[in-house]
Structure formats: C-alpha cells, structure tokens
Amino acid sequence: MNNKVKVLREEKNMTQNELAEKSGLSLRTIQRIEAGNILKGFTLKTIAQSLETIPENLISKTENSGIERAKIINLSALSGLVIPFGSIIFPLILTYKTEDLTNRELGKQIITIHLFLSLMLSFLLIVSPFIQKAFSIDFPLFLIPLITILFLKLVVVVLNGISLNKNQSLAIKLKNNFL
C-alpha cells in the first residue's frame, strides 16, 4: 500500500476530497493511490506538489515488496539446468546482495536445497561408472542420475515458485540450513 501519500495528507490535515481538489485529480484517483496503486509520471508530480514535497518522498525506496527478491532467487536456480553449479552460484550472489532479512533467509533455504541436490548429483556421477563396470551394463548409467536430479531441480523451482506466490513461503526446503 502507498501509505506515504496518506501519511503526508493526514499530516497536512487534509481530507481525500481536499487533496483531490488541490491536485486537480479525481477523488477516486486519490483513493486508488492510497489503496496501493503505484504513482508514476504526472500523477506523482501533481500529488507531490499538492503535498508540498518532492516526488522521491512518495516512492518507496525499500526492496521489492514482500518476497519478490526470493522469487528472483528461486528462478535464478534454473541456471543450474544449463550451467554446472549455476543453481548455487547465481542464487548465492543474489542472496548476499539482498538486504531484506526475510528474502535473505528464503534465499539461503533455496541455496541449501540446490546445494544438497548438486552434491548428490556429483556423488552419483562419480559412482555410476563403477556400478556400470561392476554389473557389466552397456547403457551409460550416468544419464539416469543426471536426468533425474535435473528434473528434481526443475520440480523444486516450480513448486517453490508456486508456493512463494500463494503462501509466501517455500514448499520444498531442508530442515537444516547449511548457510
């Protein structure tokens, strides 16, 4: 919600009607702004002038609302489908550049699950040639864990993305956080 407009309006002891008249905007526009509509362009300048402030004071300087950064961190884990350990490296960079503690904690949980999956994949890729040789299997056995873990990573990203949108929490996470 854009409470800055409401707070400044109330500090000036103005009603929504008075602000609408002073700014030349409709009462409905003022109500929408105070309900959370994003201020831009002409409307931003007009409201700022009417409230005797600069436009920058009406724009929220915080990080993306809620868990938007966590959603980006989660999506960046998809890079691990193409780049080895990309599902750890890119989310790690984004997480540690995040100042919001909620997004940082969600980012750490995302990194932890992908770190676990990547380590499991590495182990299985190392072991698979030995198993293949021990059982005289002609099929390249390393493909099974590779495809399975990559599919699991994709499923984790999708399920966590859906859960972040609906519940603002992760659906799939480990109980212990390594980071």
Side-chain angles (χ1 to χ4, degrees):
M1 289 195 355
N2 202 338
N3 292 329
K4 290 185 177 190
V5 172
K6 183 177 182 179
V7 169
L8 286 172
R9 175 181 60 77
E10 289 174 347
E11 282 177 5
K12 304 252 181 218
N13 293 320
M14 296 173 74
T15 64
Q16 287 181 335
N17 257 336
E18 290 171 336
L19 180 57
E21 287 174 16
K22 187 172 181 181
S23 65
L25 299 170
S26 71
L27 174 61
R28 185 69 190 125
T29 300
I30 301 299
Q31 290 169 341
R32 284 185 189 133
I33 290 166
E34 288 188 4
N37 278 15
I38 297 171
L39 278 167
K40 297 188 246 182
F42 173 77
T43 308
L44 174 63
K45 290 176 189 172
T46 304
I47 294 286
Q49 286 175 348
S50 301
L51 293 171
E52 300 168 357
T53 187
I54 57 173
E56 288 77 23
N57 288 342
L58 300 176
I59 299 172
S60 178
K61 295 198 177 20
T62 59
E63 231 175 59
N64 293 342
S65 64
I67 46 114
E68 293 301 314
R69 183 72 171 205
K71 292 177 186 177
I72 294 169
I73 294 168
N74 185 51
L75 279 177
S76 71
L78 286 176
S79 61
L81 299 177
V82 180
I83 302 168
F85 297 102
S87 61
I88 299 166
I89 295 167
F90 296 114
L92 194 62
I93 292 168
L94 290 172
T95 297
Y96 284 99
K97 288 191 174 219
T98 301
E99 294 176 11
D100 179 55
L101 294 176
T102 304
N103 284 310
R104 183 173 280 201
E105 191 55 39
L106 287 169
K108 287 180 180 180
Q109 291 173 352
I110 291 167
I111 294 166
T112 301
I113 188 71
H114 286 282
L115 179 62
F116 175 75
L117 289 172
S118 294
L119 290 174
M120 193 165 53
L121 175 62
S122 298
F123 174 76
L124 291 173
L125 289 178
I126 291 169
V127 171
S128 65
F130 298 110
I131 293 172
Q132 184 174 344
K133 187 173 183 179
F135 291 104
S136 301
I137 301 171
D138 292 333
F139 179 77
L141 195 59
F142 76 93
L143 287 176
I144 294 172
L146 178 66
I147 292 169
T148 304
I149 299 291
L150 290 179
F151 179 73
L152 275 174
K153 286 184 175 202
L154 178 63
V155 168
V156 166
V157 170
V158 170
L159 291 178
N160 280 341
I162 291 169
S163 182
L164 283 170
N165 280 329
K166 288 184 178 180
N167 310 326
Q168 296 192 346
S169 65
L170 296 174
I172 300 173
K173 60 185 175 184
L174 297 180
K175 288 185 180 182
N176 298 329
N177 194 345
F178 302 13
L179 307 175

